[in-house]
Structure formats: structure tokens, C-alpha cells
Amino acid sequence: MSTQTTQSAQPDLLYSEEEEALRSAVRGLLADRCDAATVLARIESPADGSPHDRELWKALTDGMGLAGLLVPEELGGQGATHREAAVVLEELGRATAPVPYLTSAVVATETLLACGGDAATELLRELAAGRTVGALAVGLAVAPGDAVEGVREEGGALRGELTAVADAAGADVLLVPAGGALFAVDTAQDGVTVTPQTSLDLTRPLATVTFQAPRARRLAGDADAAVRRGLRAGAALLASEQLGIAEWCLTETVRYTKERHQFNRPVGSFQALKHRLAQLWLEIVNLRAAARNAADALATDSAEADLATALAQACAGAVAVHAAEEALQLHGGIGMTWEHPVHLCLKRAKADSIAYGTAGRHRESLAALVGLQAP
């Protein structure tokens, strides 16, 4: 095989012009409508009682069509790829935006794409248009391939309780695996109770969902493959959100250490702080490569998509948490105050570190995929 052929087979992980244009548009919108003060005010006392910023969600979906990025054009979507969705999540992570993009436009959408059938297709159209918010009814910590339990089917009726379901409190429809099949359940009907839980990250709230024989639409007879696909997409693209968090923390910390003076010098000029920031930059560069590789593997339907996802999540959580902790410390502890957005990033990073599987869980998957014996 020639060198040229070998090189052309390698994925191009650089951002394209279209992706950079998308980033610019999303960042501009978030700068206008999702500044730190707005996020803090919403999570402290939401005016409309919703855990999500509905006006921002409408701007992202109606105005920019972002809810349908992963949906084919013939189903009312944009027909884009996971690479574009990853760019959006990087920017949403930077802003810790209180919108259900990851849970609805990625996880629920990918789950439905694996179903087929008229019921799933109709629901996909609604999610792509942003008229409906969906959520996969599994715990936030469930990893791709894990067993899903908690809801049982009894003569076509669903009964059971699930805890720690992300964004369920703001969802219009839940995708519920039960009895080996997958069902769609509207949250507004009798028989469905959604109880908010106290969660660390208030921008992605958790809830307990109880089913007492609500009406349910059957979407697929085999839920395992669909749920696995949805959770894999969630885990893979979560790494891009974690990348956005880490990059914001590093950028803001570098800016702050240039402005903060001690002994008539910027604190950023002290060698010890330079070393800490340089180490953090190296970790973020590595995370960017892993996150981009995971998004590209899904976009190209690579045979190594599982491997790329596990690799990205094996490191993403630790890097995002480290970046947020360094930002908190190097701001002199100011991140502990309610007014500064650093605490939003730290809480999101900590919550994300267990979302769709912990780093340890993904390392186990990674070891199995490459044939290494786990310790």
C-alpha cells in the first residue's frame, strides 16, 4: 500500500470551515442569551418553573435547526453528522447551557434512529423540529452495554420506578425500555410521575420517574440495540461537552492570572503557576484529540466507534474536573461564591464524570476491546 493511500485512510480530526462557522454562530447566540448571570438566575429561581431555558432552546431549534442535526433530511432534520453535533456540544459545555441538547437531540434521537417504524419516525420528526423534548428513561450513570432495569411490562402496561433520569423534568416524552421492548410515554398523562431530585449540577437536573400503567406506544421489539446506540452516542459526544468545559476553565484562568497582581507582578508570571497551566493545556490537547476521534468514528460509522468512545471517556472526566478545580484554586477560591461561574463548570464537570459510565467502567470496556486483561 502506498504512503499516500495510507495517509488518506486516516481520519481528519481538524475542524472544517463549516464546523468553525457553526461554532461561531452558536457561540454568538450563547453570548447574547446564555451569559453566566442568566444561567445563575435561572437555576436559582426559574421564572417559568422549567429547569430548562425554553427561549434559548427555541432559538437553538427553531432559529438554527440544531435539534435535527443527526436526523436525515427526509425526516425533517439537517442530515449533518456527529462532528457538527460535537461542535455544538463544545459550545454548550463552555456556557453550561441549561438546555436538553445532549439528552434529546443526541441520546433520544440516536435511540429512535435505531428503531425504524412509523411511530419512531413520527417522533423523530417532532424531536428534529424542537417541538418535542425527549429523554431516554435510564439512569444518568448507565454506560453503553449495561443492563437496564426498573420498569416492567404487565399486559401492555408499564410499572416501575427509575431514579437519576437526566432532563426528565423538562421532557415531553420518555423512551422507556421495558420487557425487552422500547416504548414512548408522554409525561403529561396520568400514570406518569416525575419528581425532581436534588442534583449537584442544576443545569442538567435529575428526576425520579414512576410509571403506574400509563398509555405507551411501542417503538421497537428489541430495545437493547437501540438503547446501546443512544448511550454510546451520549458517551462519545459527552466528551466534547467536557472539552468545552475544560477549555473555558483554562482560558478564563489564564486571563485572570494575567490581570491579578501580587508583589507588583501578574500572578501568572510565577513559574509554579505556569507549570500548572502548561500541564492543564497538555491534558486538554489530548482530550481534544480523543473527543474529535470519537465524534469522527460515529460520523463515519467506523468499526472502531466503540473503542473511540471508551478511549474518550476513559480520560474526559478527569481532565474536565481537573480544569475546573484548577480554575477554582487559581482564582483564589472565588469560584466558591455564587456570583462567579466557575462553580457551574465544576458542578457540571463532576456530574459529567459519572454520566454514561464512569472512567473506570470505560477503561474496563477499553481493555476488553483491545484484548488486555483488566487489573
Side-chain angles (χ1 to χ4, degrees), residues 188-361:
Q189 64 175 305
D190 293 336
V192 180
T193 303
V194 180
T195 306
Q197 294 179 240
T198 301
S199 54
L200 177 64
D201 177 18
L202 298 178
T203 62
R204 180 172 288 146
L206 306 179
T208 297
V209 184
T210 305
F211 300 98
Q212 296 177 320
R215 296 188 305 276
R217 307 189 299 277
R218 189 184 182 94
L219 299 174
D222 181 10
D224 290 344
V227 170
R228 180 179 177 82
R229 175 172 171 174
L231 292 178
R232 185 182 69 173
L237 297 190
L238 176 66
S240 293
E241 176 180 290
Q242 292 164 304
L243 171 62
I245 295 169
E247 287 187 322
W248 183 90
C249 288
L250 177 61
T251 300
E252 285 301 304
T253 304
V254 169
R255 181 191 61 77
Y256 179 77
T257 56
K258 288 180 179 179
E259 296 176 354
R260 173 74 182 272
H261 283 66
Q262 284 186 343
F263 309 111
N264 293 321
R265 291 175 57 186
V267 296
S269 66
F270 295 115
Q271 191 172 32
L273 298 192
K274 287 182 178 180
H275 286 173
R276 290 172 66 172
L277 292 171
Q279 177 60 36
L280 186 57
W281 180 81
L282 289 173
E283 293 177 13
I284 293 173
V285 168
N286 290 333
L287 172 55
R288 182 184 298 113
R292 290 293 292 169
N293 182 53
D296 184 78
L298 291 184
T300 58
D301 196 21
S302 169
E304 296 186 345
D306 289 343
L307 180 66
T309 298
L311 179 63
Q313 277 305 316
C315 67
V319 174
V321 170
H322 183 212
E325 289 177 341
E326 288 289 76
L328 181 107
Q329 289 193 8
L330 297 183
H331 274 78
I334 194 172
M336 295 299 292
T337 66
W338 193 250
E339 292 77 15
H340 199 280
V342 170
H343 74 90
L344 293 174
C345 290
L346 179 57
K347 293 170 183 175
R348 174 67 72 87
K350 293 289 282 186
D352 282 356
S353 67
I354 64 170
Y356 305 118
T358 62
R361 174 68 178 82

Side-chain angles (χ1 to χ4, degrees), residues 22 65 130 162 184:
L22 176 61
L162 299 167

Side-chain angles (χ1 to χ4, degrees), residues 96-151:
T96 56
V99 293
Y101 189 84
L102 181 65
T103 50
S104 182
V106 175
V107 177
T109 295
E110 282 283 314
T111 303
L112 289 171
L113 285 170
C115 293
D118 293 340
T121 298
E122 182 59 31
L123 190 50
L124 265 175
R125 293 182 183 277
E126 296 177 8
L127 263 61
R131 296 189 298 267
T132 298
V133 173
L136 180 62
V138 300
L140 180 61
V142 175
D146 283 356
V148 178
E149 300 177 353
V151 179

Side-chain angles (χ1 to χ4, degrees), residues 16 19-20 58 66 78 81 89 109 118 142 163 166 182 196 207 239 270 281 284 302 326 341 348:
S16 67
E19 290 166 353
E20 290 294 0
K58 184 176 181 180
L66 299 184
Q78 305 300 316
T81 72
L89 280 164
T109 295
D118 293 340
V142 175
T163 60
L182 187 68
F270 295 115
W281 180 81
I284 293 173
S302 169
E326 288 289 76
R348 174 67 72 87

